[in-house]
Amino acid sequence: MENPSKPKSQIGDCSGDLRSSAAADPHRDKFPFFRHRSRQISRDTWLISVFVLLQIVIFAVTMGVNDCPGNSYGDCAAEFLGRFSFQPLSENPMLGPSASTLEHMGALRSNILAESREIWRIFTSQWLHSGLFHLLSNLGSLIFVGIYMEQEFGPMRIAAIYVLSSALGSLFAVVFVQDIPSVCPAAALFGLIGAMLSALARNWNLYSNKTSAIMLIVVISSVNFLLGFLPYIDNFANIGGLVSGFLLGFVLLFAPQLRQVPPHKASFLKSEIKRSEKLKEKFDRPILRIICLALFCVM
């Protein structure tokens, strides 16, 4: 166990930890595409676990409120679930609630925002899903990306990026919202993806298998973006979340926690750190953080 009194080392300060064995971290290769060649990090991922649990609970509550057998005239999907069964596939192919239920639970809709001024929908729409397929796709991507980011940069900064990206994504959705209920829970996910891109740019030389890392980000983004063309999902929120997360990454993700490497890689790491510090100096200048923060506020 790591000594809590020992200060965490920064990127250029990890040579003293290079003697540690890789065996001290049996999960070191859990994320091989994004592995830092550096010291051990914390495995505490309570923040993403809380967000995932909340979204599952809210989806269950939404399906309970929907009560397909009691409120629908068609044949419900998965009727054995009782009031938690899904709307007919002809109405919602994502295995989810009806449009009226989504609207009742807080989805975005242009006429309601314009006439009733129900601004609170900007926040509630971030936690709703159009169906079970949407929920599983979003949470699967969130678990993979979110756990990695929380391990690398800690829960507080990731929580700020998650919440702010989600809020800005919802504001983007409001600008382009149509007269049908729409939800935007993936805005937070795209915010974390954008922050991952900026973190990758800042610490380029400290990542292994960079091509695979970029390809994996592209695949996750593409799958979730394509889902945005299905009913009740807003892709404008995803775009807003991605841009805001990228900007916030340059503002907040300036000191990643670092992992261990085996001793035989020590000399290679030292040379990489020297090259990385030159690149990092360009990205760590306060002027860049100020510009990115200003752009985020303007958005």
Side-chain angles (χ1 to χ4, degrees):
M1 182 178 296
E2 185 177 354
N3 187 353
S5 63
K6 181 180 179 180
K8 294 183 180 294
S9 35
Q10 303 300 322
I11 288 181
D13 232 4
C14 58
S15 58
D17 294 311
L18 296 177
R19 295 185 300 271
S20 302
S21 171
D25 185 6
H27 304 289
R28 183 171 55 87
D29 291 327
K30 186 175 181 182
F31 297 95
F33 294 122
F34 305 104
R35 185 174 62 250
H36 270 139
R37 303 185 181 96
S38 39
R39 83 187 283 273
Q40 186 176 1
I41 63 172
S42 169
R43 294 288 163 183
D44 187 7
T45 54
W46 62 268
L47 177 71
I48 297 301
S49 301
V50 169
F51 285 147
V52 169
L53 180 61
L54 282 175
Q55 295 196 41
I56 293 175
V57 170
I58 292 173
F59 181 74
V61 171
T62 301
M63 295 311 304
V65 171
N66 185 67
D67 189 14
C68 180
N71 297 319
S72 177
Y73 297 102
D75 295 329
C76 300
E79 290 188 10
F80 63 90
L81 294 175
R83 69 178 297 127
F84 295 96
S85 58
F86 309 110
Q87 289 297 116
L89 295 180
S90 58
E91 181 180 348
N92 189 340
M94 300 292 285
L95 290 180
S98 64
S100 58
T101 299
L102 287 174
E103 182 177 326
H104 175 73
M105 294 295 294
L108 297 174
R109 192 166 183 173
S110 60
N111 62 338
I112 295 179
L113 290 171
E115 298 172 6
S116 303
R117 308 291 183 182
E118 297 180 359
I119 306 301
W120 52 270
R121 292 178 178 270
I122 294 176
F123 304 99
T124 55
S125 62
Q126 304 168 14
W127 299 94
L128 299 175
H129 290 81
S130 65
L132 182 62
F133 293 149
H134 186 205
L135 177 72
L136 293 178
S137 174
N138 185 51
L139 293 190
S141 302
L142 178 62
I143 289 171
F144 184 85
V145 175
I147 285 179
Y148 165 75
M149 293 297 286
E150 186 177 358
Q151 288 176 339
E152 289 292 311
F153 298 99
M156 294 299 103
R157 287 182 283 180
I158 298 307
I161 293 174
Y162 186 99
V163 172
L164 292 175
S165 297
S166 184
L168 188 60
S170 296
L171 290 175
F172 260 60
V174 168
V175 175
F176 302 99
V177 69
Q178 301 177 0
D179 195 21
I180 57 172
S182 61
V183 297
C184 41
L189 167 64
F190 275 86
L192 294 181
I193 292 174
M196 180 182 287
L197 286 172
S198 58
L200 185 64
R202 295 172 71 101
N203 304 286
W204 182 256
N205 289 327
L206 293 180
Y207 284 84
S208 62
N209 211 348
K210 303 174 182 62
T211 303
S212 297
I214 295 175
M215 288 300 297
L216 194 60
I217 291 174
V218 170
V219 169
I220 294 176
S221 303
S222 300
V223 169
N224 286 276
F225 187 77
L226 289 175
L227 283 177
F229 292 101
L230 296 175
Y232 313 129
I233 305 176
D234 198 306
N235 248 344
F236 291 106
N238 298 339
I239 297 172
L242 180 67
V243 175
S244 61
F246 184 76
L247 294 175
L248 289 172
F250 281 112
V251 176
L252 297 175
L253 304 185
F254 47 82
Q257 305 175 76
L258 303 175
R259 304 185 186 181
Q260 287 181 339
V261 292
H264 68 274
K265 290 186 179 181
S267 59
F268 177 73
L269 175 62
K270 289 179 181 179
S271 62
E272 276 201 333
I273 286 176
K274 290 180 181 180
R275 294 199 306 268
S276 178
E277 285 179 337
K278 296 179 181 179
L279 180 64
K280 190 170 182 291
E281 287 176 359
K282 300 178 182 179
F283 287 106
D284 276 350
R285 293 173 180 171
I287 186 64
L288 178 60
R289 296 182 192 172
I290 294 173
I291 291 175
C292 290
L293 182 60
L295 289 175
F296 174 80
C297 294
V298 170
M299 288 174 59

